């Protein structure tokens, strides 16, 4: 996009994992549709491994050096350390490069876990706005933990916090009581509050109607602006022509295979199973899942990443070929939007949860770690759009429990009420994103403010 945009130029920096890139890409598309020029800053080691699904004629992609040009084999904690050591300088250089053009950067919108970006932005003379990729509920719990309100071990069986339901230990984000298991990830998550009082806006991938009480409570402390659901427009308000996917993926979906298979099934007859791009089940748990799904006797699509296929029971795919389809990745939005899908067994990662809410698909919640237990609590007890599995004393969810939960959502006594709630949230999600909706107004407000930001161009001095 070579010419100067009417509203100004925004640089967007996501953390390079699928669940963090997707919502920031969608927010970027919304900004572009309102006359903002957007440049996406992409870490060099991931740029070549991405599967670009659309051609971005309306926004640029610029590399920022994260220490390696073509990926690496280190752990996530090692990568985070390398990322934080290299990206700040490269980001500052990118902002400086644009300052010598007719269209300098006015604001950096960055993943909230990268709190240090604000310092880089301000030292470069531009504004900074963090983007929370997790819901208000989870961010509020992290804040309470940092404030010393939430202490471990818990003295009570339930936790009572402002604007939240009573929470048990099993409902809390795992990182705040397992800090030593992934210290770098934990430090990233908790650091997002380190300089939050200095930001211009805080964007969040949620919508007002979904977490209204928490929004009011958080807005009393910070300039919170919900701008979600950050999913492709054709599954919401349909105002962005052709916006049917996020636009980039680290995995290649089996699109034709999934959709043709779904076309052959009756409405609401298919159970869709996916645990996202990172969560993993142990081999024993994988077996329990397999036999529970088989015992339910419903049709199913199960996304099992290639690295996880070896955990499936021997000959499981062959034994269930009349009812099931196992794929290594799927076009999840198109699957969830398909009339044949009646239930989603999910780890409750926030993107997956928000997609299911936006498309009106009931859920079986099976959280694994991080924010997922809290999301599962809200799915079942607050939004009432699903049921949550119960693990046994060994921490395993048995095949009998999995079968029970599937049946409860698909055909049980609560099925009609769960579907009614799912339809309600689908309607509210669309309204929030549509013209004049709560999230749309927040995006419009930011764009209007952006126009008044100073343009710190060095072109004349260069």
């Amino acid at each position: 996009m070579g010419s100067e945009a009417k509203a100004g130029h925004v640089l967007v920096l996501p953390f390079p994992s699928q669940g963090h890139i997707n919502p920031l890409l969608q927010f970027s598309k919304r900004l572009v549709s309102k006359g903002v020029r957007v440049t996406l800053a992409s870490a060099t080691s991931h740029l070549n491994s991405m599967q670009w699904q659309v051609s971005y004629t309306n926004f640029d992609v610029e590399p920022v050096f994260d220490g390696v040009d073509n990926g690496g084999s280190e752990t996530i904690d090692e990568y985070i350390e390398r990322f934080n050591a290299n990206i700040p300088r490269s980001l500052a250089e990118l902002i400086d490069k644009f300052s010598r053009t007719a269209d300098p950067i006015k604001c950096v919108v960055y993943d909230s876990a990268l709190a240090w970006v604000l310092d880089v932005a301000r030292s470069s003379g531009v504004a900074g706005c963090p983007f929370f990729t997790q819901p208000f509920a989870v961010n509020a719990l992290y804040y309470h933990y940092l404030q010393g309100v939430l202490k471990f071990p818990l003295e009570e069986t339930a936790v009572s916090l402002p604007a939240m339901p009573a929470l048990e230990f099993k409902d809390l984000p795992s990182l705040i009581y397992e800090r030593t298991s992934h210290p770098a990830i934990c430090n990233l998550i908790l650091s997002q509050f380190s300089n939050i009082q200095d930001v211009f806006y805080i964007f969040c991938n949620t919508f007002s109607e979904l977490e209204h009480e928490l929004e009011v409570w958080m807005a009393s402390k910070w300039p919170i602006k919900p701008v979600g659901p950050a999913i492709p427009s054709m599954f919401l308000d349909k105002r962005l022509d052709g916006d049917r996917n996020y636009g980039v993926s680290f995995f290649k979906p089996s699109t034709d295979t999934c959709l043709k298979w779904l076309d052959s099934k009756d409405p609401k007859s298919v159970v869709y199973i996916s645990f996202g791009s990172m969560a993993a089940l142990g081999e024993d748990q994988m077996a329990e899942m397999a036999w529970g799904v088989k015992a339910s006797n419903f049709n199913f699509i199960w996304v099992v990443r290639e690295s996880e296929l070896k955990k499936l029971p021997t000959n499981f795919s062959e034994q269930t070929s009349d009812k099931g389809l196992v794929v290594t990745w799927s076009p999840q939005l198109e699957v969830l939007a398909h009339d044949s899908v009646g239930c989603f067994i999910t780890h409750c990662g926030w993107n997956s949860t928000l997609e299911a809410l936006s498309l009106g698909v009931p859920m079986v919640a099976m959280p694994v770690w991080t924010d997922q237990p809290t999301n599962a609590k809200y799915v079942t007890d607050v939004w009432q759009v699903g049921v949550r599995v119960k693990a046994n004393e060994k921490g395993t969810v048995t095949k009998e429990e999995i079968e029970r939960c599937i049946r409860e959502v698909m055909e049980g006594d609560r099925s009609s009420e769960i579907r009614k709630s799912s339809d309600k949230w689908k309607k509210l999600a669309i309204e929030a994103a549509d013209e004049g909706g709560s999230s749309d107004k927040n995006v419009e407000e930011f764009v209007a403010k952006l126009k008044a930001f100073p343009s710190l161009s060095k072109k004349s001095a260069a």
Side-chain angles (χ1 to χ4, degrees):
M1 191 172 180
S3 60
E4 185 173 354
K6 294 179 181 178
H9 190 176
V10 171
L11 183 64
V12 175
L13 177 67
F15 183 78
S17 70
Q18 192 75 65
H20 289 247
I21 292 172
N22 285 354
L24 277 159
L25 274 177
Q26 288 308 128
F27 182 58
S28 297
K29 294 176 191 178
R30 293 286 176 178
L31 292 178
V32 169
S33 74
K34 296 180 184 297
V36 177
R37 178 181 178 182
V38 171
T39 295
L40 177 74
S42 177
T44 49
S45 66
H46 290 78
L47 192 57
N48 293 332
S49 64
M50 293 178 182
Q51 303 280 336
W52 292 92
Q53 297 163 323
V54 296
S55 175
Y56 283 112
T57 56
N58 287 327
F59 78 69
D60 307 313
V61 179
E62 289 277 351
V64 281
F65 186 59
D66 60 358
V68 175
D69 288 314
N70 295 304
S73 58
E74 73 266 68
T75 66
I76 182 64
D77 293 279
E78 290 169 341
Y79 175 73
I80 289 171
E81 184 178 350
R82 176 163 59 81
F83 184 94
N84 288 341
N86 288 277
I87 292 289
R89 178 178 177 180
S90 187
L91 183 66
E93 290 172 349
L94 183 59
I95 296 171
D96 182 67
K97 183 182 86 168
F98 279 110
S99 74
R100 302 175 190 281
T101 71
D103 202 4
I105 302 295
K106 284 189 172 184
C107 178
V108 181
V109 175
Y110 57 92
D111 194 304
S112 61
L114 308 176
W116 50 260
V117 174
L118 181 64
D119 297 328
V120 175
R122 294 176 75 180
S123 66
S124 300
V126 301
C129 297
F131 188 106
F132 283 169
T133 57
Q134 296 179 334
F136 285 146
V138 172
N139 291 311
L141 286 171
Y142 288 137
Y143 173 76
H144 288 307
Y145 172 74
L146 283 170
Q147 295 300 304
V149 176
L150 195 58
K151 298 178 180 179
F152 297 94
L154 297 178
E155 296 180 359
E156 306 290 339
T157 56
V159 177
S160 180
L161 296 167
M164 302 186 79
L167 301 172
E168 299 177 29
F169 182 79
K170 66 182 178 64
D171 303 324
L172 302 175
S174 64
L175 288 179
I176 58 178
Y177 56 81
E178 294 179 348
R179 291 196 62 177
T180 57
S181 59
H182 292 282
I185 296 177
C186 188
N187 290 339
L188 271 187
I189 294 293
L190 296 178
S191 71
Q192 64 189 348
F193 296 98
S194 61
N195 53 14
I196 201 171
Q197 69 281 353
D198 299 322
V199 301
F200 180 71
Y201 275 148
I202 301 167
F203 301 116
C204 188
N205 186 20
T206 186
F207 56 101
S208 294
E209 296 77 5
L210 191 64
E211 299 185 272
H212 178 67
E213 290 184 16
L214 267 170
E215 180 194 358
V216 171
W217 181 80
M218 295 185 81
S220 69
K221 298 178 177 295
W222 309 296
I224 288 284
K225 299 292 177 182
V227 292
I231 71 171
S233 174
M234 298 310 290
F235 297 94
L236 283 170
D237 56 312
K238 298 178 173 56
R239 287 191 295 153
L240 305 187
D241 290 341
D243 183 29
R244 296 196 62 84
N245 55 53
Y246 290 104
V248 64
S249 176
F250 290 108
F251 305 92
K252 186 175 181 180
S254 306
T255 302
D256 291 343
T257 301
C258 291
L259 298 183
K260 287 179 180 177
W261 188 88
L262 285 169
D263 287 342
S264 69
K265 306 305 175 189
D266 293 333
K268 304 292 184 287
S269 68
V270 176
V271 177
Y272 173 61
I273 311 158
S274 177
F275 287 82
S277 59
M278 291 183 67
L281 302 181
E283 191 168 330
D284 290 345
Q285 184 62 80
M286 188 79 91
E288 295 290 335
M289 172 67 75
W291 302 131
V293 170
K294 184 176 186 293
S296 76
N297 206 36
F298 285 101
N299 300 316
F300 68 90
I301 289 184
W302 189 356
V303 179
V304 182
R305 298 191 306 274
E306 196 165 348
S307 59
E308 301 289 294
L309 284 172
K310 60 183 179 295
K311 297 179 182 178
L312 280 174
T314 304
N315 298 326
F316 172 75
S317 296
E318 291 80 358
Q319 291 182 40
T320 56
S321 59
D322 60 327
K323 286 283 187 180
L325 177 67
V326 176
V327 296
T328 55
W329 201 244
S330 77
Q332 182 159 292
L333 284 163
E334 293 183 76
V335 170
L336 290 173
H338 201 284
D339 288 341
S340 296
V341 173
C343 172
F344 180 18
I345 301 181
T346 172
H347 63 314
C348 289
W350 184 234
N351 286 339
S352 289
T353 301
L354 203 51
E355 288 170 359
L357 283 163
S358 300
L359 293 165
V361 181
M363 288 172 264
V364 171
M366 191 169 169
V368 179
W369 72 318
T370 63
D371 62 320
Q372 298 157 20
T374 308
N375 299 338
K377 168 69 175 179
Y378 275 73
V379 162
T380 55
D381 295 347
V382 178
W383 304 318
Q384 299 181 343
V385 292
V387 299
R388 182 174 180 174
V389 299
K390 296 177 181 177
N392 63 19
E393 63 280 358
K394 296 179 181 178
T396 301
V397 182
T398 65
K399 57 182 181 292
E400 292 83 7
E401 173 67 1
I402 289 164
E403 179 186 358
R404 182 191 69 80
C405 289
I406 291 172
R407 292 192 180 281
E408 185 170 350
V409 171
M410 293 291 278
E411 62 184 12
D413 294 339
R414 293 181 54 211
S415 179
S416 61
E417 288 302 313
I418 289 172
R419 294 193 186 284
K420 192 179 297 183
S421 292
S422 297
D423 289 341
K424 178 189 80 171
W425 290 116
K426 175 182 178 179
K427 180 182 178 182
L428 290 171
I430 293 170
E431 289 176 355
D434 208 350
E435 186 174 4
S438 56
S439 292
D440 185 61
K441 286 180 179 178
N442 286 335
V443 179
E444 289 276 8
E445 179 183 315
F446 170 65
V447 173
K449 293 285 180 68
L450 185 66
K451 291 178 181 178
F453 284 12
S455 293
L456 301 176
S457 177
K458 298 178 183 176
K459 185 179 179 184
S460 58

